[in-house]
Coordinates of all heavy atoms in Angstrom, one line a residue:
M184 N 181.3 96.6 126.2 CA 180.0 97.1 126.2 C 178.9 96.0 126.2 O 179.0 95.1 125.4 CB 179.8 98.0 124.9 CG 178.7 98.9 124.9 SD 178.7 100.0 123.5 CE 178.0 98.9 122.2
A185 N 178.0 96.2 127.0 CA 176.9 95.1 127.1 C 176.0 95.2 125.9 O 175.6 96.3 125.5 CB 176.1 95.4 128.4
R186 N 175.7 94.1 125.4 CA 174.7 94.0 124.3 C 173.3 94.2 124.7 O 172.9 93.6 125.8 CB 174.8 92.7 123.6 CG 176.0 92.6 122.6 CD 175.7 91.4 121.7 NE 176.8 91.1 120.9 CZ 176.9 90.0 120.1 NH1 176.0 89.1 120.2 NH2 178.0 89.8 119.4
A187 N 172.5 94.9 123.9 CA 171.1 95.0 124.3 C 170.4 93.6 124.1 O 170.7 92.9 123.2 CB 170.4 96.0 123.3
K188 N 169.6 93.3 125.1 CA 169.0 92.0 125.1 C 167.8 92.1 124.1 O 167.0 93.0 124.2 CB 168.5 91.7 126.5 CG 168.1 90.3 126.7 CD 167.9 90.0 128.2 CE 166.7 89.1 128.4 NZ 166.3 89.1 129.8
K189 N 167.7 91.1 123.2 CA 166.6 91.1 122.3 C 165.4 90.3 123.0 O 165.6 89.3 123.6 CB 166.9 90.3 121.0 CG 167.7 91.1 120.1 CD 167.7 90.4 118.7 CE 168.4 91.3 117.7 NZ 168.5 90.7 116.4
E190 N 164.2 90.9 122.8 CA 163.0 90.2 123.3 C 162.1 89.8 122.2 O 161.9 90.5 121.2 CB 162.3 91.2 124.3 CG 163.1 91.5 125.5 CD 162.3 92.2 126.6 OE1 161.0 92.3 126.4 OE2 162.9 92.7 127.5
Y191 N 161.6 88.6 122.4 CA 160.7 88.1 121.4 C 159.3 87.8 122.0 O 159.3 87.3 123.2 CB 161.2 86.8 120.8 CG 162.5 87.0 120.0 CD1 163.7 86.8 120.7 CD2 162.5 87.4 118.7 CE1 164.9 87.0 120.0 CE2 163.7 87.6 118.0 CZ 164.9 87.4 118.7 OH 166.0 87.5 118.0
T192 N 158.3 88.0 121.3 CA 157.0 87.6 121.8 C 156.5 86.4 120.9 O 156.6 86.4 119.7 CB 155.9 88.7 121.6 OG1 156.5 89.9 122.3 CG2 154.6 88.4 122.3
V193 N 156.0 85.4 121.6 CA 155.5 84.2 120.9 C 154.0 84.1 121.0 O 153.5 84.4 122.1 CB 156.2 82.9 121.5 CG1 155.7 81.7 120.8 CG2 157.7 83.0 121.3
Y194 N 153.3 83.8 120.0 CA 151.9 83.7 120.0 C 151.4 82.3 119.7 O 151.9 81.6 118.9 CB 151.3 84.6 118.9 CG 151.6 86.0 119.1 CD1 152.7 86.6 118.5 CD2 150.8 86.8 120.0 CE1 153.1 87.9 118.7 CE2 151.2 88.2 120.2 CZ 152.3 88.7 119.6 OH 152.6 90.0 119.8
L195 N 150.5 81.9 120.6 CA 149.8 80.6 120.4 C 148.6 80.8 119.6 O 147.8 81.7 119.9 CB 149.5 80.1 121.8 CG 149.0 78.6 121.9 CD1 150.1 77.7 121.6 CD2 148.5 78.4 123.4
I196 N 148.4 80.0 118.5 CA 147.3 80.2 117.6 C 146.4 79.0 117.6 O 146.9 77.8 117.4 CB 147.8 80.5 116.2 CG1 148.7 81.7 116.2 CG2 146.6 80.7 115.2 CD1 149.4 81.9 114.9
K197 N 145.2 79.1 117.9 CA 144.3 78.0 117.9 C 143.1 78.3 116.9 O 142.5 79.4 117.0 CB 143.7 77.8 119.3 CG 142.8 76.6 119.4 CD 142.5 76.3 120.9 CE 141.7 75.0 121.1 NZ 140.7 74.7 120.3
V198 N 142.8 77.4 116.0 CA 141.6 77.5 115.2 C 140.6 76.4 115.7 O 140.9 75.2 115.8 CB 141.9 77.2 113.7 CG1 140.6 77.3 112.9 CG2 142.9 78.2 113.2
E199 N 139.5 76.9 116.2 CA 138.4 76.0 116.6 C 137.8 75.4 115.4 O 137.0 76.0 114.7 CB 137.4 76.7 117.5 CG 138.1 77.2 118.8 CD 137.1 77.8 119.8 OE1 136.6 78.8 119.6 OE2 137.0 77.1 120.9
G200 N 138.1 74.1 115.1 CA 137.7 73.5 113.9 C 136.2 73.4 113.7 O 135.8 73.5 112.5
E201 N 135.5 73.3 114.7 CA 134.0 73.1 114.6 C 133.4 74.5 114.2 O 132.3 74.5 113.6 CB 133.4 72.6 115.8 CG 133.4 73.4 117.1 CD 134.7 73.5 117.8 OE1 135.7 72.8 117.4 OE2 134.8 74.1 118.9
K202 N 134.1 75.6 114.4 CA 133.6 76.9 114.0 C 134.0 77.3 112.7 O 133.4 78.1 112.0 CB 134.1 78.0 115.0 CG 133.4 77.9 116.4 CD 133.8 79.1 117.2 CE 133.2 79.1 118.6 NZ 133.7 80.2 119.4
C203 N 135.2 76.8 112.2 CA 135.8 77.3 110.9 C 135.0 76.7 109.8 O 134.6 75.5 109.7 CB 137.2 76.8 110.8 SG 138.0 77.1 109.2
N204 N 134.6 77.6 108.8 CA 133.9 77.2 107.6 C 134.8 77.1 106.4 O 134.3 76.9 105.3 CB 132.7 78.1 107.4 CG 133.1 79.6 107.1 OD1 134.3 79.8 106.8 ND2 132.2 80.5 107.2
G205 N 136.1 77.3 106.6 CA 137.0 77.1 105.5 C 137.0 78.2 104.4 O 137.4 78.1 103.3
C206 N 136.5 79.4 104.8 CA 136.4 80.5 103.9 C 137.7 81.0 103.3 O 137.7 81.6 102.2 CB 135.6 81.7 104.5 SG 136.6 82.6 105.8
G207 N 138.8 80.8 104.0 CA 140.1 81.2 103.5 C 140.5 82.6 103.7 O 141.6 83.1 103.3
Q208 N 139.7 83.4 104.4 CA 140.0 84.8 104.6 C 141.3 84.9 105.5 O 142.2 85.8 105.2 CB 138.9 85.5 105.4 CG 137.7 85.8 104.6 CD 137.9 87.1 103.8 OE1 138.5 87.1 102.7 NE2 137.5 88.2 104.3
C209 N 141.5 84.1 106.5 CA 142.7 84.2 107.3 C 143.9 83.8 106.5 O 145.0 84.4 106.6 CB 142.6 83.3 108.5 SG 142.2 81.6 108.1
V210 N 143.8 82.9 105.6 CA 144.9 82.4 104.7 C 145.3 83.6 103.8 O 146.5 83.9 103.6 CB 144.4 81.2 103.8 CG1 145.6 80.8 102.9 CG2 144.0 80.1 104.7
D211 N 144.3 84.3 103.2 CA 144.5 85.3 102.2 C 145.1 86.6 102.9 O 145.9 87.3 102.3 CB 143.3 85.7 101.5 CG 142.7 84.6 100.6 OD1 143.5 83.7 100.3 OD2 141.6 84.7 100.2
L212 N 144.7 86.9 104.1 CA 145.1 88.2 104.7 C 146.2 88.1 105.7 O 146.7 89.2 106.1 CB 143.8 88.8 105.3 CG 142.8 89.2 104.2 CD1 141.5 89.6 104.9 CD2 143.3 90.3 103.3
C213 N 146.6 87.0 106.2 CA 147.7 86.9 107.1 C 149.0 87.3 106.4 O 149.4 86.7 105.4 CB 147.9 85.5 107.7 SG 149.4 85.4 108.7
P214 N 149.7 88.4 106.9 CA 150.9 88.9 106.1 C 152.1 87.9 106.1 O 153.0 88.1 105.3 CB 151.2 90.2 106.9 CG 150.6 90.0 108.2 CD 149.4 89.1 108.1
V215 N 152.0 86.9 107.0 CA 153.2 86.0 107.1 C 152.8 84.5 106.8 O 153.5 83.6 107.2 CB 153.9 86.1 108.4 CG1 154.7 87.5 108.5 CG2 153.0 86.0 109.6
D216 N 151.7 84.3 106.2 CA 151.3 83.0 105.7 C 151.3 81.9 106.8 O 151.8 80.8 106.6 CB 152.2 82.5 104.6 CG 152.1 83.4 103.3 OD1 151.0 84.0 103.2 OD2 153.0 83.6 102.6
V217 N 150.6 82.2 107.9 CA 150.6 81.2 109.0 C 149.6 80.1 108.7 O 149.9 78.9 109.0 CB 150.1 81.9 110.3 CG1 149.7 80.9 111.3 CG2 151.3 82.8 110.8
F218 N 148.5 80.4 108.0 CA 147.4 79.4 107.8 C 147.4 78.7 106.4 O 147.9 79.3 105.4 CB 146.1 80.1 108.0 CG 145.9 80.8 109.3 CD1 146.1 82.2 109.4 CD2 145.5 80.1 110.4 CE1 145.9 82.8 110.6 CE2 145.3 80.8 111.6 CZ 145.6 82.1 111.7
E219 N 146.8 77.6 106.4 CA 146.5 76.9 105.2 C 145.2 76.2 105.4 O 144.9 75.7 106.5 CB 147.6 75.8 104.9 CG 147.8 75.5 103.5 CD 149.1 74.7 103.2 OE1 150.2 75.3 103.2 OE2 148.9 73.5 103.1
V220 N 144.3 76.2 104.3 CA 143.1 75.4 104.5 C 143.3 74.0 104.1 O 143.8 73.7 103.0 CB 141.9 76.0 103.7 CG1 140.7 75.1 103.7 CG2 141.6 77.4 104.2
K221 N 143.0 73.1 105.0 CA 143.2 71.6 104.7 C 141.9 71.0 105.0 O 141.4 71.1 106.1 CB 144.3 71.0 105.5 CG 145.7 71.4 105.1 CD 146.7 70.6 105.9 CE 148.1 70.8 105.4 NZ 148.5 70.0 104.3
E222 N 141.4 70.2 104.1 CA 140.1 69.5 104.2 C 139.0 70.4 104.8 O 138.3 70.0 105.7 CB 140.3 68.3 105.2 CG 141.3 67.3 104.6 CD 141.6 66.1 105.5 OE1 141.1 66.1 106.6 OE2 142.4 65.3 105.1
G223 N 138.9 71.6 104.2 CA 137.8 72.5 104.5 C 138.0 73.3 105.8 O 137.0 73.9 106.3
R224 N 139.1 73.2 106.5 CA 139.4 73.9 107.7 C 140.7 74.6 107.7 O 141.7 74.0 107.2 CB 139.4 72.8 108.9 CG 138.1 72.1 109.1 CD 137.1 73.0 109.9 NE 135.8 72.3 110.2 CZ 134.8 72.3 109.4 NH1 134.8 73.0 108.3 NH2 133.7 71.7 109.8
S225 N 140.8 75.7 108.3 CA 142.0 76.4 108.4 C 142.9 75.8 109.5 O 142.5 75.5 110.6 CB 141.8 77.9 108.8 OG 143.0 78.6 109.0
V226 N 144.2 75.6 109.2 CA 145.1 75.1 110.1 C 146.3 76.0 110.2 O 146.9 76.4 109.2 CB 145.6 73.7 109.6 CG1 146.6 73.0 110.6 CG2 144.5 72.8 109.2
P227 N 146.7 76.4 111.4 CA 147.9 77.2 111.6 C 149.2 76.4 111.4 O 149.7 75.9 112.4 CB 147.7 77.8 113.0 CG 146.9 76.9 113.7 CD 146.1 76.1 112.7
L228 N 149.7 76.3 110.2 CA 150.8 75.5 109.9 C 152.2 76.1 110.4 O 153.1 75.4 110.7 CB 150.9 75.1 108.5 CG 149.9 74.1 108.0 CD1 150.2 73.8 106.5 CD2 149.9 72.8 108.8
D229 N 152.2 77.4 110.3 CA 153.5 78.1 110.7 C 153.3 79.1 111.8 O 153.5 80.3 111.6 CB 154.1 78.8 109.4 CG 154.6 77.8 108.4 OD1 155.3 76.9 108.8 OD2 154.2 77.9 107.2
P230 N 152.8 78.7 112.9 CA 152.5 79.7 114.0 C 153.7 80.5 114.5 O 153.5 81.6 115.0 CB 151.9 78.8 115.1 CG 152.5 77.4 114.9 CD 152.6 77.3 113.4
Q231 N 154.9 79.9 114.3 CA 156.1 80.7 114.7 C 156.3 82.0 114.0 O 157.0 82.9 114.4 CB 157.3 79.8 114.6 CG 157.9 79.5 113.2 CD 157.1 78.5 112.5 OE1 156.1 77.9 113.0 NE2 157.5 78.2 111.2
N232 N 155.6 82.1 112.8 CA 155.7 83.4 112.0 C 154.9 84.5 112.5 O 155.0 85.6 112.1 CB 155.4 83.1 110.6 CG 156.4 82.2 109.9 OD1 157.4 81.9 110.4 ND2 156.0 81.7 108.7
C233 N 153.9 84.2 113.4 CA 152.9 85.2 113.8 C 153.5 86.4 114.4 O 154.4 86.4 115.2 CB 151.9 84.5 114.8 SG 150.7 85.7 115.4
L234 N 153.0 87.6 113.9 CA 153.4 88.9 114.4 C 152.5 89.5 115.4 O 152.7 90.6 115.9 CB 153.4 89.9 113.2 CG 154.2 89.4 111.9 CD1 154.0 90.3 110.8 CD2 155.7 89.4 112.3
G235 N 151.3 88.8 115.6 CA 150.4 89.3 116.6 C 149.6 90.4 116.1 O 149.0 91.2 116.9
C236 N 149.4 90.6 114.8 CA 148.8 91.8 114.2 C 147.3 91.8 114.4 O 146.6 92.8 114.4 CB 149.1 91.9 112.7 SG 148.3 90.6 111.7
G237 N 146.7 90.6 114.6 CA 145.2 90.5 114.9 C 144.4 90.5 113.7 O 143.1 90.4 113.8
T238 N 144.9 90.5 112.5 CA 144.1 90.6 111.3 C 143.2 89.4 111.1 O 142.1 89.5 110.8 CB 145.1 90.7 110.0 OG1 145.9 91.8 110.2 CG2 144.3 90.7 108.7
C239 N 143.8 88.2 111.4 CA 143.0 87.0 111.2 C 141.8 86.9 112.1 O 140.7 86.5 111.7 CB 143.9 85.7 111.4 SG 144.7 85.7 113.0
V240 N 142.0 87.3 113.3 CA 140.9 87.4 114.3 C 139.8 88.4 113.8 O 138.6 88.1 113.9 CB 141.4 87.8 115.7 CG1 140.3 87.9 116.7 CG2 142.4 86.7 116.2
A241 N 140.3 89.5 113.3 CA 139.3 90.5 112.9 C 138.5 90.1 111.6 O 137.4 90.4 111.5 CB 140.1 91.8 112.5
V242 N 139.1 89.3 110.7 CA 138.4 89.0 109.5 C 137.6 87.7 109.6 O 136.7 87.4 108.8 CB 139.4 88.8 108.3 CG1 140.1 90.1 108.0 CG2 140.3 87.7 108.5
C243 N 137.9 86.9 110.7 CA 137.1 85.6 110.8 C 135.7 85.9 111.3 O 135.5 86.3 112.4 CB 137.9 84.7 111.7 SG 137.0 83.1 111.9
T244 N 134.7 85.6 110.4 CA 133.4 86.0 110.8 C 132.8 85.0 111.7 O 131.7 85.2 112.3 CB 132.5 86.0 109.5 OG1 132.6 84.8 108.8 CG2 132.9 87.1 108.6
T245 N 133.4 83.8 111.9 CA 132.8 82.8 112.8 C 133.6 82.8 114.2 O 133.3 81.9 115.0 CB 132.9 81.4 112.2 OG1 134.3 81.1 112.0 CG2 132.2 81.4 110.8
E246 N 134.5 83.7 114.4 CA 135.2 83.8 115.6 C 135.9 82.5 116.0 O 135.9 82.0 117.1 CB 134.3 84.2 116.8 CG 133.7 85.6 116.5 CD 132.9 86.1 117.6 OE1 132.6 85.4 118.5 OE2 132.5 87.3 117.6
A247 N 136.5 81.9 114.9 CA 137.2 80.5 115.1 C 138.6 80.6 115.6 O 139.2 79.7 116.1 CB 137.1 79.8 113.8
I248 N 139.2 81.8 115.5 CA 140.6 81.9 115.8 C 140.9 82.6 117.1 O 140.3 83.6 117.4 CB 141.4 82.8 114.7 CG1 141.1 82.2 113.3 CG2 142.9 82.9 115.0 CD1 141.6 83.0 112.2
I249 N 141.7 82.0 117.9 CA 142.1 82.5 119.2 C 143.6 82.7 119.2 O 144.4 81.7 119.0 CB 141.7 81.5 120.4 CG1 140.2 81.4 120.3 CG2 142.1 82.1 121.7 CD1 139.7 80.2 121.2
I250 N 144.1 83.9 119.5 CA 145.5 84.1 119.6 C 145.9 84.5 121.0 O 145.2 85.4 121.6 CB 145.9 85.3 118.7 CG1 145.4 85.0 117.2 CG2 147.4 85.6 118.8 CD1 146.5 84.8 116.2
T251 N 146.8 83.8 121.6 CA 147.2 84.1 122.9 C 148.7 84.4 122.9 O 149.5 83.7 122.3 CB 147.0 82.8 123.8 OG1 145.7 82.3 123.6 CG2 147.2 83.1 125.3
E252 N 149.1 85.5 123.6 CA 150.5 85.8 123.7 C 151.1 85.0 124.9 O 150.5 84.9 126.0 CB 150.5 87.3 124.1 CG 151.9 87.9 123.9 CD 151.9 89.4 124.2 OE1 150.9 90.1 123.7 OE2 152.8 89.9 124.8
I253 N 152.2 84.4 124.6 CA 152.8 83.6 125.6 C 154.3 84.0 125.9 O 154.8 84.7 125.1 CB 152.8 82.0 125.3 CG1 153.4 81.7 123.9 CG2 151.4 81.5 125.4 CD1 153.4 80.2 123.6
Ligands
SF4_594 S1 138.7 83.2 108.5 FE1 137.8 81.9 110.1 S2 136.2 80.7 109.1 FE2 137.6 81.5 107.5 S3 139.1 79.9 107.1 FE3 139.9 81.3 108.6 S4 139.4 80.4 110.6 FE4 138.1 79.4 109.1
SF4_595 S1 147.8 87.7 114.1 FE1 148.5 88.5 112.1 S2 150.4 87.5 111.8 FE2 149.4 86.3 113.4 S3 148.3 84.6 112.4 FE3 146.9 86.3 112.6 S4 147.1 87.5 110.7 FE4 148.9 86.2 110.8

């Protein structure tokens, strides 16, 4: 019997450092802890965890986060 092929979607996450004000909303609301604030800026430290839910983009008031499906 042939096994069902599993498909994965990978997301590329970019935080535009000059736009980020370090508010921490993305850190607090990402369900899989992708972000960490370092030196006043959000950094996507674990992008491989991203589920593509869009929460971080929705809560970022400075539009600093760009998520691209690859
Ligand atoms: S929500 Fe936006 S402005 Fe706030 S820390 Fe995250 S990327 Fe920076
Ligand atoms: S899209 Fe969702 S899972 Fe991915 S980094 Fe943003 S909040 Fe986290």
Side-chain angles (χ1 to χ4, degrees):
M184 194 172 80
R186 276 199 190 168
K188 196 171 140 194
K189 278 194 177 176
E190 289 190 13
Y191 297 94
T192 307
V193 176
Y194 297 94
L195 187 69
I196 303 169
K197 183 175 189 314
V198 177
E199 296 189 291
E201 68 281 4
K202 288 187 180 176
C203 174
N204 62 18
C206 71
Q208 284 280 83
C209 56
V210 178
D211 293 343
L212 294 170
C213 174
V215 288
D216 298 330
V217 164
F218 303 97
E219 208 169 280
V220 172
K221 285 187 177 272
E222 297 174 1
R224 297 281 184 266
S225 175
V226 182
L228 284 186
D229 291 310
Q231 74 281 358
N232 292 346
C233 178
L234 307 169
C236 68
T238 302
C239 56
V240 175
V242 298
C243 181
T244 55
T245 64
E246 299 182 350
I248 304 173
I249 299 166
I250 305 249
T251 313
E252 195 177 319
I253 53 175

